[in-house]
Amino acid sequence: MTTPFPEPAFPAGPASPAAPPPGCPAHAGGGIAPTGPGGLRRLYGPEAEADPAGLYEKLRAEYGEVAPVLLHGEHRAWLVLGHGANIAAMRTPSLFSRDSRLWSAFRNNEVPPDSPLLPVVAWQPICVFADGDEHRRLRGALLDGLNGFDRRGIRRHVRRFTTDLVQVVGPTGRAELISQFAEHLPMLVMTKLLGMPDEYGPQLVTAARDLVKGTETAIASNEYVVAGLRRTIAIKRDSPGDDLTSRLLAHPAGLTEDEVMEHLRVVLLAANETTVNLIADSLKMVLTDPRFRAHLSGGQMTLGEALDQVLWDSPPMSLVAGRWATADTELGGQRIGAGDLLLLGLAAGNVDPVVRPDLAAPLYGNRSHLSFGAGPHECPGQDIGRHVAEAGIDILLTLLPDVRLAVPEEELTWSSAWISRHLTALPVEFTARDIEPDPLSVAEAEEAEAEQAKAGAQPAEQGGSAAEQALPGPRNAERAGTAGPPGPTVPAQRRGWWDVLTGLFRR
């Protein structure tokens, strides 16, 4: 296919007027047209958010493996749609680098400081934005840190938090598995693996979701996450433990504090976002697809194989930004200019007719999907993410064996941002039952009480829910050591965040 742009593909020029950020009145009123300058389709706005898969297929039919698109602020980019073209871009860092400083929009000062793209594409001192020797140094430290966790230890955390979450809803006989399960389990587990203070839990969920959506508050949410991580690093420098933060600080690669913080940030956000979506979509398929439900109950198919099918059909991230061309080159029949931004279309590549002529054919055990990437930047935490999702769903189904969808499948809805798609809600019902507490939760609660008594701490105030007992506004932020993002305030440090979370569920 030929490029629709004059040569060079993306000519330098004055900055385009920024498009309204997601969530503003222009979005609500459908004020963003599906196409922009030059007739290029936007990857944001009502059409893109309502049916991203349909948009990808329109682009594939029009351009082939690689299509020109517009991002927030009318920034031009190339969306890689073909499975083979995605693999080529991922495995050729000499031509398609992860160093976002190469982006011509940065070099031409066309990206405003409040752009919602910045939390995703702004260069950081981490392996994600490095190539060559520097990438190997940073990624090696991260892999060593992540590989220090064994499946048994992770499952212990998953069992504890899954049991705690199900305890809240068990006696009611009803639950909403996105807001009351999927959106909390990964962050709970990851805060334990990173060694973070408990009180950051609820706001980290809010901030992480907001940041990845690229909303107008994404910058504030990013600042909240960074502040929490810096506080964790300070704690672990004085009192190291068996956690990722301590391992990165002590690694012989000699990471700086900024490098440690940024790697923790990307692990926390990427693990949360991808695992939330993987859990949500896998639960939806288990509850609605007769093939999966029958096979799982009949023992003919493992939950791991079910996850493989979900990773093909509903990748946790629709696309990844990105790669930046190091020189003028060609990909998928398009001429790519030096400094151009490429978006790796994981969802589009997974349904490429070249590799999947029959989308209904099962893919049990086939892991050649693009959901975790490929090449030197393949997701280093994919095994942990899969294990959290698989163990969480397995334990949930064990605790609630008769769980079933509470609404017709056709009533389920999704919301989309430019890099991911989310199941909005998954209401279920089951036989009401009391769930016995997990022994690990009991042991940790007793240990916390003993430490509190030893320190002479006063118990939490009585009366009202745990959430209502948390200190409000600026006073609370001051006690926590940082200001929080828009939304819930940071709970008082003396309170475990599980109490706050269960208080919110019981309101």
Side-chain angles (χ1 to χ4, degrees):
M1 307 293 291
T2 58
T3 175
F5 305 127
E7 198 57 26
F10 295 155
S16 301
C24 74
H27 268 140
I32 297 179
T35 58
L40 300 185
R41 292 187 180 274
R42 293 185 168 100
L43 285 189
Y44 64 97
E47 182 192 56
E49 294 168 4
D51 184 17
L55 175 59
Y56 300 155
E57 293 312 307
K58 291 178 183 177
L59 291 167
R60 196 195 310 274
E62 187 173 356
Y63 297 104
E65 286 194 284
V66 179
V69 293
L70 293 174
L71 296 177
H72 304 81
E74 308 293 51
H75 294 296
R76 294 179 173 184
W78 297 103
L79 176 59
V80 186
L81 301 161
H83 188 279
N86 270 287
I87 293 292
M90 293 175 187
R91 292 181 175 172
T92 318
S94 60
L95 281 178
F96 304 107
S97 172
R98 283 294 286 131
D99 189 342
S100 64
R101 293 172 295 185
L102 297 172
W103 191 18
S104 56
F106 281 149
R107 296 201 309 264
N108 296 331
N109 296 316
E110 296 175 354
V111 185
D114 60 348
S115 170
L117 302 178
L118 284 179
V120 179
V121 303
W123 183 88
Q124 300 144 31
I126 55 176
C127 61
V128 172
F129 291 94
D131 293 308
D133 291 341
E134 183 67 358
H135 173 256
R136 284 185 285 273
R137 178 182 77 89
L138 297 172
R139 183 181 171 90
L142 183 59
L143 281 173
D144 289 345
L146 292 173
N147 290 339
F149 298 111
D150 62 86
R151 291 173 63 92
R152 182 181 300 176
I154 295 172
R155 186 176 179 89
R156 185 167 61 249
H157 290 310
V158 174
R159 185 185 68 245
R160 172 202 170 179
F161 292 125
T162 298
T163 303
D164 287 348
L165 288 164
V166 175
Q167 263 193 301
V168 176
V169 299
T172 70
R174 301 183 68 85
E176 198 287 282
L177 292 181
I178 305 302
S179 63
Q180 293 181 305
F181 181 69
E183 287 187 348
H184 297 282
L185 179 63
M187 188 64 77
L188 278 164
V189 175
M190 291 310 301
T191 53
K192 282 294 184 182
L193 299 186
L194 268 62
M196 298 190 72
D198 284 348
E199 70 267 19
Y200 278 92
Q203 283 67 252
L204 282 173
V205 172
T206 301
R209 301 291 286 180
D210 184 64
L211 172 58
V212 176
K213 289 178 182 177
T215 69
E216 68 271 19
T217 56
I219 301 295
S221 294
N222 181 58
E223 291 173 352
Y224 175 79
V225 171
V226 168
L229 291 173
R230 289 204 183 280
R231 178 171 181 259
T232 301
I233 291 171
I235 293 171
K236 294 302 176 180
R237 281 200 183 279
D238 295 334
S239 303
D242 186 20
D243 52 70
L244 181 59
T245 303
S246 300
R247 292 171 190 168
L248 290 181
L249 288 169
H251 197 274
L255 274 64
T256 67
E257 185 168 308
D258 280 344
E259 288 172 338
V260 172
M261 187 278 295
E262 294 291 0
H263 280 88
L264 294 176
R265 172 184 174 274
V266 75
V267 167
L268 186 69
L269 295 177
N272 183 66
E273 177 70 8
T274 56
T275 311
V276 166
N277 289 344
L278 181 57
I279 292 173
D281 288 330
S282 298
L283 279 170
K284 182 262 180 187
M285 186 163 285
V286 166
L287 294 172
T288 62
D289 192 317
R291 299 172 304 166
F292 284 79
R293 194 62 171 169
H295 288 165
L296 286 170
S297 62
Q300 302 175 26
M301 178 184 178
T302 68
L303 189 55
E305 291 171 333
L307 263 64
D308 286 330
Q309 184 72 45
V310 171
L311 288 167
W312 273 102
D313 295 337
S314 305
M317 303 292 285
S318 302
L319 60 86
V320 171
R323 296 295 190 274
W324 288 267
T326 60
D328 293 347
T329 185
E330 183 176 312
L331 181 69
Q334 300 281 19
R335 288 185 293 176
I336 311 297
D340 285 358
L341 166 60
L342 276 71
L343 308 171
L344 303 179
L346 309 184
N350 276 354
V351 296
D352 185 347
V354 174
V355 295
R356 291 187 68 186
D358 181 7
L359 295 179
L363 292 163
Y364 310 150
N366 186 333
R367 297 191 178 180
S368 58
H369 55 75
L370 301 175
S371 295
F372 294 124
H377 288 277
E378 185 175 3
C379 176
Q382 58 183 281
D383 290 339
I384 292 178
R386 280 185 61 105
H387 188 55
V388 170
E390 184 174 346
I393 295 172
D394 180 43
I395 295 165
L396 173 72
L397 296 176
T398 300
L399 295 172
L400 303 174
D402 63 342
V403 64
R404 55 197 176 275
L405 198 63
V407 299
E409 181 182 354
E410 56 269 19
E411 292 185 11
L412 299 178
T413 60
W414 280 258
S415 64
S416 299
W418 66 292
I419 62 174
S420 60
R421 182 171 181 259
H422 310 279
L423 183 61
T424 304
L426 191 63
V428 296
E429 56 189 11
F430 45 85
T431 301
R433 68 195 74 199
D434 290 326
I435 305 297
E436 292 295 320
D438 182 78
L440 183 60
S441 293
V442 175
E444 291 201 0
E446 292 174 347
E447 181 181 350
E449 285 184 9
E451 290 181 357
Q452 194 175 54
K454 184 178 179 181
Q458 295 297 315
E461 296 92 336
Q462 299 299 312
S465 70
E468 292 168 340
Q469 293 172 20
L471 294 174
R475 178 184 170 206
N476 190 14
E478 180 182 350
R479 293 187 56 163
T482 179
T489 53
V490 182
Q493 289 188 35
R494 63 182 173 178
R495 301 186 55 76
W497 89 261
W498 178 249
D499 291 334
V500 177
L501 182 59
T502 54
L504 289 170
F505 282 168
R506 290 172 177 143
R507 292 173 106 176

